Amino acid sequence: MWSPSRASEDRIAAVDALRGFALLGILMVNIAFLASGYRMSGLPEPGFDSGLDWGVRWFVTMFMENKFYLLFSFLFGYSFTLQLDSATRRGAAFVPMFLRRLAGLFLLGLAHAVFLFPGDILTTYAVVGLALLVLRRITPKAALMLAVALTAALALAFVAAAGAAVLGLRVPGATSGGLAQALGADILLRGGPATIVSEHLHELSVIVVLRVLFQAPAVLAACLVGLALGKRATLKRPDPRMLRTLQWAGFTVGIAGQALHSYSAWSGSGVVLRLLGQAVDLVTAPLLAAAYAATLLRLLPRIAPLGRVLAPPGRMALTNYLGQSLICSLIFTGYGLALVDKVSPPLELLVALAVFAAQAAFSHWWLRRHRHGPVEWFLRALTHGRLPSKQVQPT
């Protein structure tokens, strides 16, 4: 019988299920950017202008974008505490071990960004992991306060940017690269490996600044929340009252804020409203992400098959995250079918669901025969300086 609080090797099955759920959401967001040079330039895909196409764009922006990577970041922080506790019980030197793990994550993320998807998150986790290492002795209360302060500072930065735009000042990153750049990206992404990599490198030159200034602090804030709740072992026995409170806040304030953010993103209302929408998004996206997590945690004990479906891909999250980009690259770029900007937004979501279903089935099959996912095995070997056992975990 599947239990959300029980797993071998110090794992918490609910964490794996949440991670699998986050992977699904990340894929449903990322696939639009993997499938279109226009989306990477901040523009809608050309040729797809039906009501259904726009409905999907609004739906993904409102209910998915910036929620699932925050949930994944929260779990990164939570898992950090599990790794720290495990090293303490074994008497292992945690700092050098974790530094090797971060180095491995960074190298994997760099290769991922250059060859498959410039929107890679692993390099950000590697950098943020250094901050978690420094802050590992922080109290849960202080961690939560720091997370709130980071989020508030980021939101105020976007409000200030909106004010600057009102005064006619140029705000870096506030406007898209334009139609010419998007068209050029499409041509390069349909080409061979060399042209694909060159386009990725160009995109990275723009993305890296925004990532350092904005995404990394948001990721750190979510990781700090995970660290705080991990220190309290919250996910082993979630408080039902806390879960209900998170659902109430997320499905009211969170959805209202995300509705405003979606309007600012797709209504064509101008730079000022887009920047204000980003500020609202920074505050309300975490609430909606928390509501999703709370809902899933309440459902897992009641619907056992849900955990059995989501936990295996969650246990192989790194393999599946990189695999998603590989599969989509083979579908949409010149690495394979070169269908960039030839697939409508609704069909993109169907492709994402099919890819995740295949990954869930593969993960279930693989973990019946192996203790770790393929990339997890490599990262674990690098982390511990020895080859991990391939023995299947007992059930």
Side-chain angles (χ1 to χ4, degrees):
M1 177 183 241
W2 192 89
S3 169
S5 61
R6 216 164 28 92
S8 57
E9 253 191 29
D10 300 320
R11 303 189 73 95
I12 300 174
V15 172
D16 289 328
L18 282 170
R19 196 178 285 114
F21 176 62
L23 272 174
L24 172 59
I26 286 170
L27 176 58
M28 295 182 79
V29 172
N30 285 353
I31 193 168
F33 298 91
L34 286 156
S36 172
Y38 282 76
R39 289 301 299 274
M40 289 300 292
S41 297
L43 300 169
E45 306 92 320
F48 299 111
D49 204 35
S50 71
L52 182 58
D53 295 329
W54 278 104
V56 168
R57 292 186 186 108
W58 279 69
F59 175 82
V60 171
T61 300
M62 182 169 174
F63 292 103
M64 296 182 177
E65 279 186 18
N66 300 332
K67 288 80 176 172
F68 289 97
Y69 90 82
L70 289 177
L71 177 55
F72 210 79
S73 301
F74 162 81
L75 294 168
F76 184 82
Y78 196 100
S79 297
F80 172 81
T81 66
L82 300 180
Q83 296 166 41
L84 183 58
D85 290 344
S86 176
T88 301
R89 289 196 302 272
R90 292 184 286 108
F94 178 74
V95 173
M97 179 182 69
F98 193 66
L99 286 174
R100 289 193 296 270
R101 181 179 183 84
L102 294 181
L105 271 181
F106 186 85
L107 292 175
L108 286 168
L110 187 60
H112 179 226
V114 171
F115 294 104
L116 297 177
F117 182 46
D120 166 77
I121 195 74
L122 300 180
T123 50
T124 304
Y125 286 153
V127 174
V128 167
L130 294 174
L132 290 179
L133 198 58
V134 172
L135 297 169
R136 64 187 182 278
R137 294 187 179 89
I138 194 172
T139 65
K141 181 178 179 180
L144 291 173
M145 291 176 64
L146 181 55
V148 171
L150 281 170
T151 303
L154 276 176
L156 289 174
F158 274 100
V159 172
V166 169
L167 297 175
L169 301 177
R170 184 178 179 275
V171 180
T175 57
S176 70
L179 289 171
Q181 180 178 313
L183 180 59
D186 267 15
I187 294 171
L188 292 173
L189 290 173
R190 291 193 187 105
T195 64
I196 294 170
V197 169
S198 69
E199 172 58 22
H200 289 171
L201 291 173
H202 170 73
E203 292 170 3
L204 281 170
S205 67
V206 178
I207 290 173
V208 68
V209 176
L210 298 177
R211 181 147 297 176
V212 170
L213 294 178
F214 298 110
Q215 189 185 51
V219 167
L220 177 57
C223 287
L224 285 168
V225 175
L227 184 148
L229 297 190
K231 283 177 175 283
R232 294 173 174 171
T234 302
L235 295 184
K236 284 187 176 180
R237 290 172 297 277
D239 181 357
R241 289 178 299 177
M242 179 192 72
L243 297 181
R244 288 193 294 270
T245 299
L246 290 174
Q247 286 179 300
W248 182 88
F251 291 134
T252 53
V253 179
I255 286 181
Q258 289 306 297
L260 176 59
H261 167 60
S262 299
Y263 179 80
S264 71
W266 292 117
S267 65
S269 301
V271 172
V272 174
L273 184 58
R274 269 205 313 276
L275 290 169
L276 291 176
Q278 290 284 351
V280 172
D281 176 58
L282 282 163
V283 175
T284 58
L287 294 176
L288 191 51
Y292 291 162
T295 301
L296 185 61
L297 288 172
R298 294 188 69 186
L299 289 175
L300 287 174
R302 297 173 172 84
I303 308 176
L306 187 61
R308 287 195 290 268
V309 169
L310 293 175
R315 280 180 56 192
M316 290 173 48
L318 186 54
T319 295
N320 287 320
Y321 172 70
L322 296 174
Q324 289 171 356
S325 295
L326 175 60
I327 294 169
C328 288
S329 293
L330 291 174
I331 295 172
F332 298 112
T333 75
Y335 288 140
L337 300 177
L339 295 178
V340 61
D341 276 314
K342 294 182 179 179
V343 179
S344 68
L347 187 53
E348 287 172 0
L349 291 191
L350 292 178
V351 171
L353 289 172
V355 169
F356 184 79
Q359 288 188 315
F362 173 75
S363 299
H364 181 78
W365 174 85
W366 181 272
L367 290 171
R368 292 183 63 183
R369 294 158 177 81
H370 305 275
R371 184 182 292 269
H372 311 289
V375 185
E376 285 78 9
W377 183 89
F378 167 78
L379 187 60
R380 194 175 182 88
L382 185 61
T383 299
H384 296 283
R386 63 178 185 273
L387 296 181
S389 169
K390 293 183 179 180
Q391 180 183 354
V392 178
Q393 288 190 354
T395 56

